[in-house]
Amino acid sequence: MHKYAETCIESRKMNEPVHTFRLATPDDAETLLKIYEPYIATTVTNETQVPALGEFRQRIVERDGMYPYIVCEEDGRPVGYAYGSRLFSRAAYAWSAELSVYFSTDHRGRGLGRAIYGKLFDLLALQGVRTVVGKVVCPNEKSDYLHEKMGFELVGTLRAASWKLGAWHDVHLWEKHIGDVEAEPAPLLRLSEVDPEKVRAILEA
């Protein structure tokens, strides 16, 4: 390869943004709310009003130490986040988690959703979660595509389950097993009970 071409390639590599992943803290609330706010005007979320900052911060607090709440940073600046939640409240559902992911509009379609989802899978699996579920309000081809690419199976559709922006919307239910669903599960661990070195290794991989 010509020396000039090699220099150009190396220069592009040096100028590429660096993406890192870490666990969220309540101090991230204001920044993450700004990422989330534009989605309120769409059908990506069924929330219809922008939550107050204190309420949004409390959502992070409630998951802190229990489920992964991951922030994706580009050159040290948060550009997206994803988290796991209890699928249903009954005790027998403890080993199933619902996933949510949001990126700033100029950072969608870059493969970051797949990266952050993969880390969610690995952390939830360490906790003992066996099944993860994604709910996608239709139409949302990008989210459907993400779930399909990540190995989810479309297991059902809730017809006209959502009313927003003057129309009824179907909701796709995507499911993926990340653990053995044939064996009896051990008690679910809080994320804070998982070996911190294993958590760090997953986030930094």
Side-chain angles (χ1 to χ4, degrees):
M1 182 182 294
H2 192 279
K3 186 66 176 178
Y4 175 75
E6 291 180 346
T7 301
C8 289
I9 291 173
E10 187 63 30
S11 177
R12 284 200 300 272
K13 288 181 179 178
M14 291 176 62
N15 292 327
E16 288 178 356
V18 176
H19 295 103
T20 54
F21 300 86
R22 61 171 175 81
L23 295 180
T25 73
D27 291 338
D28 291 309
E30 184 173 3
T31 302
L32 301 189
L33 179 56
K34 289 179 181 178
I35 293 173
Y36 179 60
E37 185 173 350
Y39 289 96
I40 303 294
T42 74
T43 57
V44 171
T45 175
N46 271 329
E47 195 156 17
T48 58
Q49 294 184 350
V50 178
L53 177 58
E55 178 187 349
F56 195 84
R57 180 181 291 110
Q58 185 59 29
R59 296 178 188 182
I60 299 176
V61 171
E62 289 172 354
R63 290 176 178 83
D64 188 24
M66 182 62 224
Y67 289 103
Y69 198 128
I70 305 174
V71 175
C72 173
E73 294 183 325
E74 181 176 276
D75 296 332
R77 178 175 65 91
V79 295
Y81 65 97
Y83 56 85
S85 307
R86 181 74 167 260
L87 180 60
F88 297 118
S89 62
R90 301 292 187 188
Y93 290 110
W95 297 270
S96 294
E98 181 179 350
L99 308 186
S100 299
V101 58
Y102 298 97
F103 275 87
S104 59
T105 53
D106 57 341
H107 285 80
R108 301 184 70 184
R110 298 190 185 183
L112 296 174
R114 278 180 277 179
I116 205 168
Y117 250 23
K119 295 180 186 298
L120 268 182
F121 296 165
D122 291 344
L123 292 178
L124 289 166
L126 283 179
Q127 293 181 252
V129 170
R130 303 296 177 89
T131 301
V132 289
V133 173
K135 298 176 183 174
V136 178
V137 181
C138 306
N140 189 340
E141 294 180 359
K142 290 183 178 179
S143 189
D144 281 335
Y145 179 79
L146 170 64
H147 286 85
E148 184 178 10
K149 284 299 181 182
M150 293 301 297
F152 284 77
E153 178 185 359
L154 182 61
V155 295
T157 300
L158 302 176
R159 300 295 182 186
S162 164
W163 171 265
K164 190 174 181 182
L165 301 181
W168 290 104
H169 302 277
D170 295 346
V171 177
H172 284 163
L173 301 177
W174 292 90
E175 179 187 69
K176 178 182 176 70
H177 298 306
I178 60 172
D180 186 355
V181 292
E182 300 295 331
E184 180 178 347
L188 190 72
L189 297 176
R190 295 174 57 87
L191 184 62
S192 59
E193 297 174 316
V194 175
D195 183 345
E197 286 302 310
K198 292 182 178 179
V199 173
R200 183 186 60 80
I202 289 171
L203 293 172
E204 296 180 359

